[in-house]
Amino acid sequence: MKNPFCIVGSGPAGVSCAKALLARGERVILLDGGVELESDKRRIVEKMRGLAPERWSESDLKTITGATAPTHKGIPIKYAFGSEFPYRDTRIPTSGAQVEVLRSLAKGGLSNVWGAAVLPYTAREMKGWPIEEKDLAPHYKAVLEFMPLAAEADDLSEYFPLYQETNKPIELSAQATDLLTHLTRNRFRLRKTGFEFGRARLAVHQTSDRRCRSCGLCLTGCPYESIYCTMETLDALMRNPNFIYTPGWVVETFKEEADKVSVRGSQDGKIVHLDCQKIFLAAGCVSPTQIVLRSLNAFGTARPFKTSQHFILPLLQKFASKKVTTESLNALSQIFIEVFGVSAEPSPIHLQVYSYSPLYGQALSRMVGPLGKA
């Protein structure tokens, strides 16, 4: 029997790769750190999942949200249900004082803590790539066969196709509704200056059993599992007899030989080896780079990383929206605004608009100190 294909990492890239290989009838083994949420917190989340938000206890809420400490600069680290398990044992020292690199050994990777916002690449962004926008289209469709998408057809569809029928979009907050109304009223003027906008596209379930309940806990962990996490796809893959999931593995090196690839790593503190046909390093950009450099014995080699710049900016409305702090809402992005400009720049500026969250009040209170209690 031929050796299986090997995939490293259980995040979005890893499960997508596994789905494609299994669809071709291949045997697949997925090596993963496999770190999971602590059992005591998991029991609390399971209890909350069976209750309506108004029936949750204060102690349970504090357990899964209390670790998040927002400031006026943002959230220092995004916990999942009050746990740092997505980042456990993965911190990487860096030379830049303002740089912190996060990776994950968790089952599901960083999809445990992502913001669920999704968009395809535009043709402008792919200038200089070895492939074109049309080459990615069938793969977007393949991913959307197992990943939910809450969205609607709007002006953004001209630049960012939906690629399939979607779930209905999540209900907007009062603030977002007012802003979208204002943007729509000025739609033609905005288009002339290179602004496009529409409802946020989110990888969120909207089916009856996993629909968004507008409980506001999106940034600390959704008890109803409405926000897509690759753990759910991984669990489905485990029912395929050609698929093996191996947690506890940390890949160190690989060696390409004439008829196989030899993989070396550690599992539960022991050195382990595995032979496979091919290896797919699907664990982000940092860990695979380390694995490749270590495999080539290229220690002390510098490799630059490019990253998009992120800024958090306050947004003020001329008129106040009603019941902002008391309405039931979700805390994910509500509106996308794309700034293309009037010239043919290669990449648009992507803006995600969020409305009120109780975390904002906590951040402001910490900023003003005792004055916040006045």
Side-chain angles (χ1 to χ4, degrees):
M1 182 181 293
K2 292 191 301 184
N3 288 321
F5 286 83
C6 175
I7 299 172
V8 180
S10 63
V15 299
S16 299
C17 185
K19 290 278 289 187
L21 289 170
L22 290 170
R24 291 170 44 183
E26 304 289 355
R27 292 170 56 236
V28 175
I29 183 167
L30 193 149
L31 307 178
D32 192 39
V35 180
E36 296 188 63
L37 180 67
E38 297 87 348
S39 58
D40 57 335
K41 290 185 173 65
R42 190 183 308 121
R43 285 192 292 270
I44 290 175
V45 173
E46 291 171 352
K47 180 174 67 173
M48 294 174 67
R49 187 178 304 139
L51 301 171
E54 60 270 17
R55 295 182 59 194
W56 291 341
S57 71
E58 287 297 325
S59 61
D60 287 345
L61 267 175
K62 186 176 180 180
T63 298
I64 69 169
T65 64
T68 301
T71 71
H72 66 287
K73 294 182 179 180
I75 299 175
I77 187 170
K78 189 176 181 182
Y79 289 89
F81 304 113
S83 171
E84 45 70 56
F85 82 92
Y87 322 101
R88 193 170 299 150
D89 301 325
T90 61
R91 296 300 181 92
I92 300 175
T94 56
S95 58
Q98 301 301 317
V99 176
E100 183 177 29
V101 179
L102 294 177
R103 55 179 182 158
S104 181
L105 290 175
K107 181 181 180 183
L110 292 176
S111 71
N112 286 284
V113 287
W114 74 318
V118 290
L119 274 180
Y121 286 104
T122 64
R124 290 190 184 190
E125 294 172 282
M126 297 185 66
K127 289 182 179 179
W129 286 33
I131 59 174
E132 299 179 7
E133 181 186 23
K134 64 181 181 180
D135 298 318
L136 290 177
H139 305 291
Y140 288 136
K141 293 177 181 178
V143 168
L144 289 171
E145 289 179 1
F146 62 87
M147 186 189 78
L149 178 63
E152 69 177 7
D154 51 27
D155 286 353
L156 293 180
S157 303
E158 178 180 341
Y159 304 92
F160 308 96
L162 289 170
Y163 290 109
Q164 73 155 39
E165 293 185 10
T166 64
N167 296 321
K168 65 179 182 179
I170 296 178
E171 185 176 351
L172 293 177
S173 67
Q175 285 180 319
T177 299
D178 291 345
L179 176 59
L180 188 59
T181 299
H182 180 71
L183 292 171
T184 303
R185 191 179 298 129
N186 294 277
R187 173 174 175 265
F188 295 106
R189 292 170 58 192
L190 288 167
R191 296 200 87 179
K192 287 181 179 179
T193 55
F195 283 77
E196 300 288 348
F197 63 88
R199 298 277 286 266
R201 297 187 187 180
L202 304 170
V204 173
H205 290 280
Q206 285 292 71
T207 55
S208 58
D209 59 332
R210 303 182 72 169
R211 70 186 188 280
C212 173
R213 309 290 181 88
S214 299
C215 68
L217 298 187
C218 311
L219 301 181
T220 53
C222 177
Y224 298 113
E225 297 184 330
S226 298
I227 300 172
Y228 174 74
C229 175
T230 58
M231 278 197 292
E232 62 187 75
T233 301
L234 190 60
D235 290 340
L237 291 176
M238 290 183 197
R239 295 193 287 271
N240 189 315
N242 285 334
F243 179 78
I244 297 176
Y245 175 67
T246 307
W249 250 85
V250 178
V251 174
E252 299 290 340
T253 61
F254 65 89
K255 182 180 180 181
E256 296 178 297
E257 301 178 12
D259 59 346
K260 65 180 180 180
V261 178
S262 297
V263 184
R264 178 182 182 277
S266 61
Q267 185 179 31
D268 300 326
K270 299 179 181 178
I271 300 299
V272 286
H273 296 83
L274 173 74
D275 290 339
C276 60
Q277 286 191 57
K278 292 183 179 179
I279 184 170
F280 294 84
L281 301 179
C285 59
V286 177
S287 294
T289 302
Q290 289 181 312
I291 293 170
V292 170
L293 293 177
R294 199 181 293 120
S295 300
L296 295 174
N297 215 15
F299 296 99
T301 303
R303 285 293 181 268
F305 285 86
K306 292 184 178 181
T307 180
S308 58
Q309 299 299 303
H310 294 75
F311 302 90
I312 300 176
L313 302 172
L315 181 65
L316 301 178
Q317 289 180 270
K318 186 175 181 181
F319 302 102
S321 301
K322 297 180 179 179
K323 299 180 180 180
V324 168
T325 61
T326 58
E327 67 174 326
S328 297
L329 45 72
N330 76 82
L332 297 174
S333 177
Q334 306 264 324
I335 297 172
F336 287 172
I337 300 175
E338 309 300 322
V339 186
F340 288 96
V342 293
S343 61
E345 292 295 328
S347 299
I349 298 172
H350 173 69
L351 304 177
Q352 294 183 186
V353 180
Y354 294 76
S355 54
Y356 176 80
S357 164
L359 294 177
Y360 299 161
Q362 295 176 32
L364 290 172
S365 178
R366 286 189 172 91
M367 183 173 65
V368 299
L371 295 177
K373 300 179 181 179

